[in-house]
Amino acid sequence: MSLTLAEKHLAQFEAAHRIQILAQSSATVAQAAAALKCEPARIAKSLTFSVGDDVILIVAAGDAKIDNKKFKQYFGVKAKMLAPDEVEACVGHAIGGVCPFGVPETVDIFLDASLKRFDTVFPACGTSNSAIELSIAELEQFTNYQQWVDISKGWQDDTPS
Protein backbone atom coordinates (compact mmCIF):
# COMPACT_ATOMS: atom_id res chain seq x y z
CA MET A 1 0.00 0.00 0.00
CA SER A 2 2.87 2.36 0.77
CA LEU A 3 4.22 2.15 -2.78
CA THR A 4 0.70 2.86 -4.01
CA LEU A 5 0.60 6.06 -1.93
CA ALA A 6 3.90 7.22 -3.43
CA GLU A 7 2.81 6.26 -6.98
CA LYS A 8 -0.48 8.11 -6.64
CA HIS A 9 1.27 11.18 -5.27
CA LEU A 10 3.95 11.19 -7.99
CA ALA A 11 1.35 10.55 -10.73
CA GLN A 12 -0.01 14.06 -10.26
CA PHE A 13 3.40 15.29 -11.46
CA GLU A 14 3.57 12.69 -14.24
CA ALA A 15 6.55 11.10 -12.50
CA ALA A 16 5.22 7.77 -11.16
CA HIS A 17 6.72 5.92 -14.14
CA ARG A 18 10.18 7.01 -12.95
CA ILE A 19 9.99 4.98 -9.73
CA GLN A 20 12.68 2.31 -9.71
CA ILE A 21 11.85 -1.04 -8.12
CA LEU A 22 15.17 -2.48 -7.04
CA ALA A 23 16.22 -6.14 -6.96
CA GLN A 24 17.81 -5.68 -3.54
CA SER A 25 16.94 -3.83 -0.36
CA SER A 26 17.32 -0.07 -0.20
CA ALA A 27 16.16 0.16 3.42
CA THR A 28 19.37 1.80 4.66
CA VAL A 29 21.47 4.55 3.13
CA ALA A 30 24.31 2.10 2.44
CA GLN A 31 21.99 -0.47 0.85
CA ALA A 32 20.26 2.17 -1.27
CA ALA A 33 23.57 3.60 -2.47
CA ALA A 34 24.81 0.12 -3.43
CA ALA A 35 21.55 -0.74 -5.22
CA LEU A 36 21.47 2.58 -7.09
CA LYS A 37 25.24 2.70 -7.71
CA CYS A 38 25.61 6.21 -6.29
CA GLU A 39 27.41 7.79 -3.38
CA PRO A 40 25.60 7.40 -0.04
CA ALA A 41 25.31 11.17 0.40
CA ARG A 42 22.93 11.35 -2.60
CA ILE A 43 20.36 9.16 -0.85
CA ALA A 44 17.63 11.52 0.36
CA LYS A 45 16.68 9.96 3.67
CA SER A 46 13.38 10.83 5.31
CA LEU A 47 13.43 11.20 9.08
CA THR A 48 10.29 11.51 11.22
CA PHE A 49 10.06 13.49 14.43
CA SER A 50 7.43 14.55 16.91
CA VAL A 51 7.29 18.27 17.61
CA GLY A 52 4.77 18.76 20.40
CA ASP A 53 1.60 17.08 19.15
CA ASP A 54 2.68 17.32 15.51
CA VAL A 55 4.67 14.96 13.29
CA ILE A 56 7.23 16.36 10.88
CA LEU A 57 9.31 14.73 8.18
CA ILE A 58 12.79 16.00 7.36
CA VAL A 59 14.48 14.98 4.12
CA ALA A 60 18.27 15.12 4.43
CA ALA A 61 21.32 13.86 2.58
CA GLY A 62 22.46 10.33 3.36
CA ASP A 63 25.64 11.51 5.08
CA ALA A 64 23.95 14.16 7.23
CA LYS A 65 23.14 13.75 10.91
CA ILE A 66 20.59 15.83 12.77
CA ASP A 67 22.29 18.52 14.85
CA ASN A 68 20.30 18.54 18.10
CA LYS A 69 21.26 22.13 18.92
CA LYS A 70 20.17 23.43 15.50
CA PHE A 71 16.96 21.36 15.66
CA LYS A 72 16.03 22.85 19.04
CA GLN A 73 16.86 26.38 17.87
CA TYR A 74 14.65 25.96 14.80
CA PHE A 75 11.70 23.96 16.16
CA GLY A 76 11.83 25.06 19.80
CA VAL A 77 11.95 21.50 21.15
CA LYS A 78 14.49 18.72 21.56
CA ALA A 79 14.73 16.38 18.54
CA LYS A 80 12.63 13.30 19.27
CA MET A 81 12.37 10.73 16.51
CA LEU A 82 9.17 8.73 16.26
CA ALA A 83 9.38 5.22 17.67
CA PRO A 84 9.62 2.56 14.95
CA ASP A 85 6.09 1.33 15.66
CA GLU A 86 4.68 4.88 15.29
CA VAL A 87 6.21 5.74 11.93
CA GLU A 88 3.88 3.88 9.56
CA ALA A 89 0.76 4.92 11.47
CA CYS A 90 1.81 8.59 11.36
CA VAL A 91 3.23 8.96 7.84
CA GLY A 92 1.83 6.00 5.91
CA HIS A 93 5.21 4.43 5.16
CA ALA A 94 7.16 1.86 7.16
CA ILE A 95 10.79 2.32 8.21
CA GLY A 96 13.05 1.48 5.28
CA GLY A 97 10.63 3.03 2.79
CA VAL A 98 9.71 6.32 4.46
CA CYS A 99 9.46 9.05 1.84
CA PRO A 100 7.95 12.50 1.40
CA PHE A 101 5.34 11.29 -1.12
CA GLY A 102 1.76 10.51 -0.20
CA VAL A 103 2.08 11.44 3.46
CA PRO A 104 -0.90 12.91 5.30
CA GLU A 105 -1.37 16.66 4.88
CA THR A 106 -1.02 17.01 8.65
CA VAL A 107 2.67 16.05 8.38
CA ASP A 108 4.86 19.06 7.62
CA ILE A 109 7.80 18.30 5.34
CA PHE A 110 11.14 20.14 5.56
CA LEU A 111 14.11 19.84 3.20
CA ASP A 112 17.55 20.05 4.77
CA ALA A 113 20.32 22.21 3.31
CA SER A 114 22.58 19.13 3.07
CA LEU A 115 20.72 18.19 -0.15
CA LYS A 116 21.44 21.44 -2.01
CA ARG A 117 24.96 20.42 -3.05
CA PHE A 118 23.63 17.78 -5.48
CA ASP A 119 22.06 18.06 -8.92
CA THR A 120 19.93 14.98 -8.23
CA VAL A 121 19.07 12.87 -5.18
CA PHE A 122 17.29 9.55 -4.56
CA PRO A 123 14.42 9.46 -2.08
CA ALA A 124 12.62 6.18 -1.36
CA CYS A 125 9.12 5.59 -2.71
CA GLY A 126 7.34 3.86 0.13
CA THR A 127 9.03 0.46 0.20
CA SER A 128 12.40 -0.93 1.21
CA ASN A 129 13.32 -1.58 -2.44
CA SER A 130 12.17 1.52 -4.31
CA ALA A 131 13.56 4.94 -5.19
CA ILE A 132 13.23 7.78 -7.65
CA GLU A 133 15.94 10.09 -8.97
CA LEU A 134 14.88 13.74 -8.71
CA SER A 135 16.49 17.09 -9.32
CA ILE A 136 16.39 19.43 -6.34
CA ALA A 137 13.75 21.53 -8.13
CA GLU A 138 11.64 18.39 -8.63
CA LEU A 139 12.10 17.41 -4.99
CA GLU A 140 10.76 20.83 -4.02
CA GLN A 141 7.85 20.58 -6.44
CA PHE A 142 6.88 16.98 -5.65
CA THR A 143 7.05 17.10 -1.83
CA ASN A 144 4.71 19.92 -0.79
CA TYR A 145 7.51 20.97 1.55
CA GLN A 146 7.15 23.80 4.06
CA GLN A 147 10.63 25.24 3.70
CA TRP A 148 14.36 24.58 3.61
CA VAL A 149 16.06 24.19 6.98
CA ASP A 150 19.69 23.93 8.06
CA ILE A 151 19.54 21.49 10.96
CA SER A 152 22.14 18.87 10.11
CA LYS A 153 25.84 18.29 10.62
CA GLY A 154 28.57 15.94 9.48
CA TRP A 155 28.24 16.54 5.77
CA GLN A 156 30.30 19.68 5.33
CA ASP A 157 34.06 19.36 4.90
CA ASP A 158 34.72 21.60 7.88
CA THR A 159 32.15 19.96 10.17
CA PRO A 160 33.24 16.96 12.23
CA SER A 161 30.88 13.98 12.11
Side-chain angles (χ1 to χ4, degrees):
M1 170 133 155
S2 200
L3 177 62
T4 305
L5 289 173
E7 286 174 329
K8 184 177 178 184
H9 181 87
L10 291 165
Q12 64 188 317
F13 304 102
E14 298 181 6
H17 69 281
R18 292 170 47 195
I19 295 173
Q20 299 177 50
I21 304 300
L22 306 165
Q24 64 241 50
S25 176
S26 59
T28 67
V29 169
Q31 290 171 332
L36 293 161
K37 297 177 178 47
C38 71
E39 61 184 295
R42 287 185 55 215
I43 302 303
K45 62 185 177 184
S46 296
L47 307 168
T48 53
F49 295 87
S50 60
V51 175
D53 293 333
D54 297 323
V55 172
I56 64 168
L57 189 147
I58 297 171
V59 184
D63 61 345
K65 294 175 177 34
I66 295 300
D67 183 315
N68 290 320
K69 183 178 176 184
K70 288 180 178 181
F71 187 100
K72 187 169 185 177
Q73 286 173 338
Y74 188 83
F75 292 106
V77 296
K78 182 180 176 185
K80 181 178 181 253
M81 291 191 79
L82 293 182
D85 61 338
E86 298 174 308
V87 175
E88 188 169 10
C90 291
V91 298
H93 305 295
I95 290 179
V98 177
C99 67
F101 314 119
V103 300
E105 289 180 12
T106 56
V107 176
D108 287 336
I109 298 169
F110 297 88
L111 304 178
D112 186 71
S114 59
L115 296 166
K116 287 188 174 184
R117 62 197 150 128
F118 302 109
D119 293 330
T120 63
V121 293
F122 294 91
C125 289
T127 65
S128 61
N129 69 329
S130 63
I132 186 169
E133 184 174 13
L134 298 175
S135 69
I136 298 303
E138 288 173 324
L139 183 66
E140 289 177 331
Q141 180 185 4
F142 298 174
T143 58
N144 301 321
Y145 78 106
Q146 295 298 305
Q147 63 190 74
W148 283 94
V149 293
D150 181 3
I151 58 167
S152 66
K153 64 181 179 180
W155 59 273
Q156 297 159 315
D157 291 338
D158 59 342
T159 305
S161 294

